[in-house]
Each structure stands twice: as C-alpha cells, then as structure tokens.
Amino acid sequence: MNITRIFKIYIKEIKEIIRTSGLIFILVIVPMIIYPFMLYYTEQTALKEKNKIDSASLSIFIKEPKLLPNLSEYIPSDEKIKILKNGNYEKIDKDCNLIISLEKQPDLFQSGYSNINATLIYDSTDKYSLKALNKFEEILLDVKKEITYERFDEKNIPSDIMTPISINTKNIASVKKITGNLLGNIIPFLLITFIMSGAMQIAVDITAGEKDRKTIQTLLISPAMRSDIIISKLLVVITVSLFCGFMNLLSMYITVCFMKNSKQILNGMNIDIQSILLGILVAIPLIIFLSSILTAIGVASKNQVEAGLYTMPLFFLDFLPLIALSSVEIANISNSNFFIPVYNTALAIKLILISSFTWQHILITVFSNLLYSAFFIFLCIKLFSNEDVIFSGIGDTVGIFFRKLFIKR
Amino acid sequence: MNNIENNIVISLENVSKVFYDLKKGAFTALSDISFSCKKGEIVGLVGPNGAGKTTLLRIISSLISPTSGTVKVNGLDNSNHGEKNKKDIGFLSSDTAIYERLTGKELLLFFADLYGMKKDLALERIDELSQILDFKKIENRVCKNLSTGEKQKISIARALINDPNILILDEATNGLDILARKHILWLVKSAKEKGKTVLYSAHAMDEIEKLSDRIIFLYHGKLISNGSTDDLKNKFQCDDLTQCFLKNIEQYEKNNDEYNKNL
C-alpha cells in the first residue's frame, strides 16, 4: 500500500467533487441553505397559522339554548366566542364553527331532575371547528360539574363524594432525560438520512460513474495499485459522509436556535460536550460502515443506473432498525442489541443523550461496526481487483458463476 | 536476460484468454498467441471486430490477466511485475477517457504523480508536450469545455507524460476527425524516431501499412499471420494489405474446414 499515492488519488477525487455543480448542490447548498430555509419557513408558517387560529373569533350555534340558559356565563370573558342567535345552522363553515345540539332526556330513574344530552357537531378537517370543539368540551364539563354539585347540595350530600380517589401524577424524569429521549429518536434518523443522501451520490459517482465516463481504464493502466485506488475512493466517500452527517446536523442546530418555538427544547437539551464527543465517536464507525457498503455497491455495479437500483433499497433498509428504536425499552436492553448494525449506533446515541449508557455498550457498538466495515473494505478491494466485476459488473459475474455451476453439474 | 540481449521488449508465449458471457457461456477470446516486439519496432495489429485485438493489448498492459501463457515486458513477467511494467507503457484507446472536471494541466500532473515523477520534472514535461502537441493555450481549461480534438491532445499527452518506452494504441483513431487523427499518426511517427516500441491496432489498413514495420493478423482470437508488409504481400501474392488479410482469412477457414472434416 502506497500512502502517498492514496493521498494523491484522494485529492484528485475531492477536486472533481468540488467541481461538480450537482454534487455541490446536494452536499452544500441543500444542507446549508435549503434545509434551514425549509425548517425556518415551516416553523414560521405554523406559528403564523397558530396565531391566526388563536386570535380568531369562533361562532357557535346552539340548538334549543333554553335547555341550558346560563351556558354563556361559563364562557371565559377573554375568549372570542360568539353565540349565533338568529338563523338555523346545519353545517360547519366559516360562519359557524360548531353546532351544539341540546336535547332533553327522559327521566328514566324518576329522580325528578331533567337531564340534557349535548351533541357537539364539528368538522375534524377544519382547524377553527376543532378549536371550538375543544373549548366547548371544557366548558360543558364545567357546566356538568356545577349542576352536579348543585344537585348534591339540594340533597344535602357532601360534594366530595364525587371524588373518592384524587389522582395526581409526578414525572421524575429529568428535563435532560425527556429531551434526550425525544432527540434520541430524531438524531439517529436525521444522521442516517444525511449520511446516505450525500454518500450515496458520491460513492456511485466515483465508482460506477467512472465506468460510465470511461475514465476507470485510464486510472487502471497507471502504476497505482488497485487496492490503493479503491482505498482512496473509500476515503473520499467517508469524508463526504462525515461532512454530510455533521454539517447537516450543525446547520439544523443553528436553524433551531433561530426558531422561536424551539428555545424551550434548546434550554432543556443541556447536552454536555462529553456526550457530543461520545456521540461522534459512536457515529464514525457507522459512517465508515455505510461508506464501505456504498462503495462496494458502486464498484460492483456495471453503471450508475445499476448502482442506483442497488443503493435505493439499502437507503430504506437503514430505517427499519430506527423504527424499532422508538419502541425499545431501555431497561430490557441486552448486549446483543449492540451487534445489530445501524440499530446499535442509534441505540447508543439515544443512551448517551439520556445518560444511561455503559462503556460496554459503546465498545461493542464501535468494535462491531469497525469489524463489519473491515469486511466491506476487504470486499471493495476484492471486487475492484476482479477484472470481470470491473469490466462487466457483479450482475453478470454472479450470473456467470451460477451458469458455470449449472454447466458443471 | 535473453530477451534484453535480443532487444525484445514485449514477448508473449502461448497466451490464451477465455471469457464467460451470460448468454454465450465460455468463449475463447485469444488462443495460444505467441509473438514478440523488438525495441524501436512498430507493430500493427489487424483484425475484424471481435478478433481479440483489444483483449490482447489489455493483457500486455496488465489491465487484465491471461487465462494461460506468459506476457513479459522488458523481460519481466506481467503476473509478478504488472505494476512495475505499467510504468514503461503508455496506453491510449477510445476507452481511456480523460477526467473532464480537471483542467488539462491538473490531469497531466495527477498522472505524472502516479508515475512517481517529481513536480518540477512533470511541469517541464507538460511544457514540452504542450509545445509539441500545441495545447498550451487550453491546458488550464476544464477538459469538459474542450473540443474532441483538444481532448485527444490531452489524452495523448497523458499517455506520453512519463516518456514511456512502449506505446500501446488500441483503435485510438476511431471516431476521430482528420485533425484529431493527425495527432495520433504524429505520435506513432515520433515514437519511431525516438526508438520506442509501438503496438498499434486500427481498422484503417492504409494507416497500418504506412506506419508498421511488422503486421500481425488476428482472426477469431488466433494469430494467423505475422510479418512485414512486403512479406505478407509476397506470401499472399497481392498488392493491397486488405486483400492480403482477406486471402489469409479465406485460407485459414479452408484449412479449418479440412481439419474439422478429418476429425
């Protein structure tokens, strides 16, 4: 292995990547400008919409209002709620956000009290209607409670009979644990997305892309050893993956800092520098692992189209372990979980964020990922040294292998 | 040692290559090829498509390995000294494209680096080649913005960057216009003047006839004739190299049919 030569090929590849406008768009423009802009714009739009709904005046129509004559007294004075008195409203639209249909129920138990059945008619696709529903569910509960107490008073029954058990909840999870748990589900997902979106393009471009552009033969006739060539290409993919993964997360973090609603999350995050460094340490072997798989796929493919076909399922496959992550019970985690690629890193990052990791978890994650990476790096070198794979692609090579087997039999 | 004493720079002994194709199965691209090239000799390879010319030149350049047989460059076996032998070969074909995102100068410096040339020496060599091939004005332009002829100049300079003693040209003039083709012909002529060995395959018989000291006819992966233009013309009793080749094929097919009948 010639380190100087590896470095020279590496620099050449990086130079080429920098000059590819399409790749620069994916690697720099998208994470640094498009994603933050989209995130900021989405937050601002959502905020605007929320403010609009909050400040909107709601119109309610009550059918048979005489059954609950004092209902309007329960509406807080600061709420912009208008009770429609004239007309007969049958559907929900901008003029009428909620219809409360009151009906007198028969006194089946002959208690001497008349009970009322209130049906709230709303449109779940209309945000104003949903807001009106939530408000009036609360108001009607207050009315119900008030009437119940009045009836107990009339019968001289103490009102605490209604509350035989008083339920109180106390969350002992620290703010760090709560936000860590939330971020532990989001960060690995974002990390994998960012790594794959950047590295996939590069791995395919510098391997299968070279076959398409017919430059692979130009490189292969040089005195550079094939192992040197493929290792330099792999290093390029790793560099780009690292760049994509961390630059995207950093740009996300900076964007979140500018978002009004996210200040609470940031205040609660309280992630120390040790946790960040440990997270990076755990993520690097995963980046090497994914880069080596993508490079192996690129080398094995006949052309860029074929490489695209092979990499796309891998992209989706990577998210399967992350789906399992949200339902994992931290108390029941065994060491074997940390041998499962992708899942192990996501789990380790989650545990780091909630401060529940053990060094055993970290070591198993790092070393198992490094071991899997070593296997795929070895595979990359073997594939790149195979003239059938280089000139025909793995599809034909595997087909020929089975054909040979079949012919022999 | 013997090869070096006899000035033989390329020697092939019983070289065969079997490929496996998904549809056709196993097929022999080269069968039992043996020949050698001396220092300063220009050898033309003639054969129809699928005759095995590209495979043969790729094997000599250590791009692929033979299924059986030995290939030696400067007396060193390709199977053990492939990387070392590559340093003495300049290879140019229609399949050796240039990196279009680099400038001509960057590309040449990159390959000079791979050949282990020092930067000063490489820059001197680029300067020399740019004057000979007349690409000084375009050397700092990104290759994708160059015309086909300009790209061809950079490609030739790439093959010559380390001043190799052996030049292998595989149908390098294919698809090129008259001006671009002129550069390739210049390349072969100047290599001959400098005493370099050239192994040259092309479909244009006039080119081969004009440039080659010796001509090899390949057909169905077999070497069917090997000699100078005059030798071949005398052997097949014709004035034209194309006629010689066609007669050679006819003769080969006839012998083959008789051989098969006797079997």
Side-chain angles (χ1 to χ4, degrees):
Chain A
M1 198 178 287
N2 185 327
I3 303 291
T4 322
R5 214 170 258 166
I6 290 174
F7 179 71
K8 281 165 188 169
I9 301 171
Y10 174 85
I11 294 294
K12 189 273 294 176
E13 299 288 358
I14 293 285
K15 211 180 263 180
E16 277 203 283
I17 289 167
I18 291 168
R19 289 194 188 152
T20 312
S21 47
L23 294 176
I24 289 298
F25 179 78
I26 293 165
L27 302 180
V28 181
I29 309 290
V30 170
M32 302 305 285
I33 297 167
I34 309 279
Y35 282 162
F37 176 76
M38 277 168 64
L39 204 65
Y40 188 74
Y41 179 78
T42 312
E43 201 246 5
Q44 288 301 309
T45 314
L47 214 62
K48 225 174 179 177
E49 187 70 10
K50 190 179 173 287
N51 289 339
K52 200 174 151 191
I53 295 167
D54 285 348
S55 59
S57 172
L58 301 171
S59 304
I60 317 295
F61 179 66
I62 304 170
K63 281 184 182 174
E64 297 297 328
K66 285 174 207 160
L67 293 174
L68 274 178
N70 54 348
L71 180 63
S72 56
E73 287 170 21
Y74 289 87
I75 299 169
S77 56
D78 55 334
E79 292 286 354
K80 291 179 185 169
I81 294 171
K82 190 175 133 193
I83 305 289
L84 300 164
K85 288 180 178 161
N86 301 321
N88 188 22
Y89 295 86
E90 294 294 337
K91 59 178 184 179
I92 303 299
D93 53 23
K94 63 181 172 113
D95 297 326
C96 177
N97 306 114
L98 183 75
I99 298 168
I100 302 173
S101 175
L102 300 175
E103 239 179 316
K104 198 172 177 181
Q105 280 188 328
D107 185 9
L108 293 173
F109 299 100
Q110 295 184 338
S111 61
Y113 294 108
S114 59
N115 291 335
I116 298 156
N117 182 29
T119 306
L120 281 74
I121 301 161
Y122 71 106
D123 180 348
S124 65
T125 60
D126 184 330
K127 284 170 190 169
Y128 298 96
S129 181
L130 275 175
K131 195 196 165 193
L133 172 78
N134 291 336
K135 290 277 167 207
F136 272 86
E137 271 180 337
E138 279 174 30
I139 291 168
L140 285 169
L141 273 173
D142 285 345
V143 176
K144 182 182 163 188
K145 205 170 161 187
E146 197 59 39
I147 294 171
T148 312
Y149 287 152
E150 274 172 16
R151 288 179 181 181
F152 282 171
D153 276 351
E154 277 173 24
K155 300 270 180 191
N156 287 326
I157 300 167
S159 58
D160 62 359
I161 199 165
M162 282 290 288
T163 49
I165 302 170
S166 180
I167 301 164
N168 297 306
T169 57
K170 194 178 174 186
N171 189 356
I172 57 152
S174 62
V175 181
K176 186 183 178 180
K177 205 169 178 181
I178 295 166
T179 50
N181 195 40
L182 178 76
L183 292 172
N185 289 332
I186 299 168
I187 288 177
F189 182 81
L190 290 176
L191 192 67
I192 302 279
T193 312
F194 295 147
I195 292 170
M196 293 293 282
S197 60
M200 247 167 70
Q201 312 290 332
I202 299 298
V204 169
D205 182 72
I206 66 172
T207 50
E210 281 227 41
K211 292 182 188 180
D212 280 353
R213 296 190 292 271
K214 291 186 176 178
T215 48
I216 192 83
Q217 200 164 303
T218 318
L219 194 57
L220 291 175
I221 52 162
S222 76
M225 283 173 73
R226 292 192 183 187
S227 54
D228 291 353
I229 297 173
I230 195 61
I231 285 171
S232 54
K233 284 181 182 291
L234 183 64
L235 286 174
V236 171
V237 181
I238 292 170
T239 309
V240 173
S241 305
L242 279 167
F243 179 84
C244 285
F246 295 121
M247 280 305 283
N248 276 286
L249 283 182
L250 186 69
S251 90
M252 281 275 172
Y253 177 77
I254 294 168
T255 314
V256 167
C257 287
F258 285 100
M259 285 159 56
K260 288 172 192 168
N261 267 12
S262 315
K263 276 184 184 162
Q264 251 186 330
I265 302 172
L266 286 175
N267 291 337
M269 262 165 76
N270 193 24
I271 300 170
D272 47 50
I273 190 77
Q274 285 94 330
S275 299
I276 294 172
L277 291 176
L278 203 55
I280 292 172
L281 174 80
V282 169
I284 287 173
L286 175 77
I287 289 172
I288 299 172
F289 170 64
L290 291 175
S291 302
S292 53
I293 295 182
L294 289 169
T295 310
I297 291 174
V299 171
S301 307
K302 204 172 187 170
N303 49 41
Q304 274 178 293
V305 176
E306 195 177 290
L309 288 175
Y310 295 145
T311 48
M312 205 38 88
L314 181 77
F315 186 76
F316 293 112
L317 203 68
D318 275 332
F319 292 108
L320 289 180
L322 299 179
I323 294 166
L325 187 71
S326 54
S327 58
V328 70
E329 278 184 56
I330 304 292
N332 296 335
I333 292 170
S334 68
N335 283 344
S336 59
N337 287 284
F338 295 91
F339 285 101
I340 306 165
V342 182
Y343 180 67
N344 56 4
T345 312
L347 194 58
I349 290 175
K350 187 172 179 166
L351 293 179
I352 290 167
L353 288 171
I354 60 172
S355 301
S356 298
F357 70 93
T358 68
W359 285 106
Q360 205 176 8
H361 294 155
I362 304 293
L363 287 175
I364 296 173
T365 305
V366 169
F367 284 104
S368 60
N369 281 346
L370 286 177
L371 196 71
Y372 303 139
S373 306
F375 169 75
F376 279 100
I377 293 169
F378 175 75
L379 187 69
C380 282
I381 295 171
K382 280 283 157 200
L383 288 171
F384 202 68
S385 307
N386 186 315
E387 63 187 55
D388 291 333
V389 174
I390 289 293
F391 292 106
S392 312
I394 193 80
D396 286 2
T397 310
V398 171
I400 288 162
F401 172 77
F402 282 108
R403 198 189 152 107
K404 275 189 207 172
L405 268 185
F406 180 72
I407 290 167
K408 274 181 189 172
R409 277 181 191 180
Chain B
M1 204 61 186
N2 237 350
N3 283 348
I4 295 168
E5 278 170 9
N6 293 329
N7 269 340
I8 289 172
V9 285
I10 300 171
S11 71
L12 284 87
E13 279 173 45
N14 310 109
V15 170
S16 296
K17 180 72 180 176
V18 178
F19 283 118
Y20 292 90
D21 186 272
L22 208 53
K23 287 172 189 165
K24 297 177 201 163
F27 73 94
T28 307
L30 288 176
S31 176
D32 216 19
I33 304 279
S34 299
F35 71 90
S36 58
C37 302
K38 284 183 181 170
K39 190 176 184 292
E41 198 177 22
I42 297 183
V43 180
L45 273 182
V46 174
N49 287 337
K53 300 187 298 292
T54 300
T55 305
L56 183 65
L57 296 179
R58 279 179 173 182
I59 287 174
I60 297 169
S61 314
S62 293
L63 257 177
I64 55 174
S65 4
T67 310
S68 62
T70 338
V71 179
K72 285 180 183 172
V73 174
N74 294 323
L76 297 174
D77 197 330
N78 264 3
S79 58
N80 304 320
H81 301 93
E83 309 301 333
K84 197 180 175 190
N85 287 347
K86 277 180 183 176
K87 283 192 174 179
D88 219 18
I89 296 175
F91 186 94
L92 190 68
S93 89
S94 48
D95 282 334
T96 49
I98 53 173
Y99 288 105
E100 301 219 327
R101 298 170 205 164
L102 299 182
T103 66
K105 197 171 184 174
E106 283 169 344
L107 181 129
L108 296 174
L109 273 174
F110 168 65
F111 279 96
D113 251 356
L114 293 183
Y115 282 99
M117 290 170 76
K118 286 191 176 161
K119 200 173 177 182
D120 302 355
L121 198 70
L123 285 170
E124 257 178 50
R125 179 74 179 146
I126 293 168
D127 207 43
E128 189 189 334
L129 287 168
S130 69
Q131 280 172 12
I132 299 168
L133 289 162
D134 189 26
F135 65 80
K136 189 79 188 159
K137 283 179 194 164
I138 52 145
E139 67 178 18
N140 289 317
R141 273 166 61 189
V142 175
C143 291
K144 73 173 170 196
N145 298 330
L146 303 178
S147 68
T148 313
E150 288 168 338
K151 281 180 189 170
Q152 190 62 29
K153 284 180 185 178
I154 301 291
S155 206
I156 293 170
R158 196 266 312 147
L160 297 177
I161 189 72
N162 60 324
D163 199 13
N165 286 318
I166 301 164
L167 266 178
I168 294 179
L169 309 175
D170 181 22
E171 295 179 5
T173 52
N174 269 17
L176 295 181
D177 63 16
I178 305 163
L179 285 174
R181 187 179 283 231
K182 199 180 80 182
H183 299 303
I184 305 281
L185 299 180
W186 164 84
L187 173 68
V188 180
K189 277 179 192 166
S190 66
K192 187 182 170 75
E193 281 164 16
K194 287 179 185 170
K196 296 180 188 295
T197 308
V198 182
L199 202 52
Y200 177 59
S201 90
H203 284 298
M205 286 292 200
D206 55 329
E207 263 177 40
I208 295 272
E209 194 172 347
K210 241 185 257 177
L211 297 168
S212 310
D213 298 320
R214 196 150 53 85
I215 294 164
I216 289 171
F217 285 166
L218 276 181
Y219 186 63
H220 283 185
K222 285 184 179 151
L223 193 155
I224 52 172
S225 277
N226 181 3
S228 68
T229 314
D230 291 339
D231 288 345
L232 294 170
K233 282 179 180 174
N234 287 336
K235 189 179 169 186
F236 298 106
Q237 294 295 304
C238 48
D239 303 327
D240 180 40
L241 198 62
T242 311
Q243 288 299 319
C244 294
F245 182 62
L246 293 172
K247 272 194 176 178
N248 198 173
I249 291 175
E250 204 178 303
Q251 212 175 65
Y252 170 81
E253 293 283 12
K254 204 175 162 186
N255 292 342
N256 220 19
D257 284 348
E258 276 172 22
Y259 177 75
N260 286 339
K261 272 178 198 170
N262 291 336
L263 274 179

